[in-house]
Amino acid sequence: MGGLIFALIVTVFLLILGFTVGTILEKRHFGRLDDREAVNRMTLQTQSKIFLSPTAGGKTPTMIHSETVVASDYFKNFLSGFRKFFGGEMKSYHSLMERARRETLAKLIEQAREMGYNAVCNVRLEPADVSGAIHNPKKKSVMVCIIATATAYDSDVVTTAPPTKMEKPV
Amino acid sequence: MIVVNTETVAGYRVVEVKGIVQGNTVRAKHAGRDIAAGFKNLVGGELKGYTELLTESRREAIERMMGQGQQLGANAIVNVRFTTSAVTSGAAELYAYGTAVVVQPLA
């Protein structure tokens, strides 16, 4: 009986910890991402395989890559259990993927800028399985990994996108 | 050596194709990292250790690929792609491959 109560207390504590700290951390992360993306919008970003009007005699194009692994929190994992039972959109994991994707892309653009390029093309984002969930589905740790690749180059095209924060579609 | 993931290199002309070159690496994280990741799983957030590990793996794979390219006498690798595969839980394989070519600057 005592053991059961102890287990319950620990679970409730972890849930509260996951919910409060996890939510605060996520909000802060999204805030930082908004700021970084606003600046990054000045860099020309395309997914096209061709170089959009490269500067003649510009720096030699080079490949850049970035990757991010983001872990889920205890509360989200707990909620996902219910969601799996009833079905429907898993909003908590949706934000997890979004965090990983946006962080990876932001890192990529920043890297290009630091190297002195003003454009990136052929941006490719893909997920990778690092938690080993495919081989061990019972594994508790939920984490997503996004890897990104692009080619940085110099372009004549000036991006017209203003450095503002993007409105979120609801 | 010029390495790009596009089919051409801006400002250069492909004059010779040397064929496909590849590089791979399988890496595991040490147990300490796994434990730290377990704690991070309570509150969520970026797992910096795993991120660094992936970055290192990718660099390693690219370097091996570049080594092959050099052996073939190429001075550029175009159309580089990456794939990952989970070999076993706790280890991931990173594979980079591309086409080794000889490029010349446009006059």
Side-chain angles (χ1 to χ4, degrees), chain A residues 8-66:
Chain A
L8 199 70
I9 288 171
V10 168
T11 309
V12 169
F13 172 74
L14 288 179
L15 280 177
I16 293 170
L17 182 81
F19 178 69
T20 52
V21 180
T23 310
I24 291 168
L25 285 180
E26 188 174 272
K27 270 221 180 93
R28 277 197 197 152
H29 191 203
F30 276 133
R32 278 202 306 276
L33 280 174
D34 281 341
D35 294 340
R36 286 162 71 189
E37 279 170 1
V39 178
N40 286 350
R41 216 154 282 137
M42 302 296 279
T43 303
L44 180 69
Q45 309 165 28
T46 60
Q47 280 174 291
S48 67
K49 276 198 159 189
I50 53 152
F51 293 90
L52 192 64
S53 57
T55 308
K59 277 194 288 300
T60 305
T62 187
M63 188 171 69
I64 47 173
H65 59 88
S66 69

Side-chain angles (χ1 to χ4, degrees), chain A residues 61-137:
Chain A
T62 187
M63 188 171 69
I64 47 173
H65 59 88
S66 69
E67 39 281 300
T68 312
V69 187
V70 175
S72 172
D73 61 57
Y74 196 81
F75 183 71
K76 283 181 175 178
N77 294 352
F78 183 77
L79 273 190
S80 77
F82 283 103
R83 191 49 91 191
K84 271 181 206 155
F85 187 74
F86 295 108
E89 192 191 345
M90 292 173 124
K91 284 230 176 82
S92 55
Y93 284 167
H94 169 95
S95 70
L96 192 69
M97 297 301 284
E98 194 189 330
R99 260 175 103 174
R101 288 229 162 81
R102 286 174 64 185
E103 172 74 31
T104 315
L105 194 60
K107 272 187 202 158
L108 195 75
I109 308 300
E110 277 157 12
Q111 205 180 322
R113 207 174 44 230
E114 270 165 30
M115 289 164 86
Y117 293 97
N118 69 357
V120 293
C121 66
N122 206 8
V123 176
R124 294 282 177 266
L125 290 165
E126 60 170 303
D129 176 49
V130 286
S131 64
I134 290 172
H135 290 271
N136 193 359

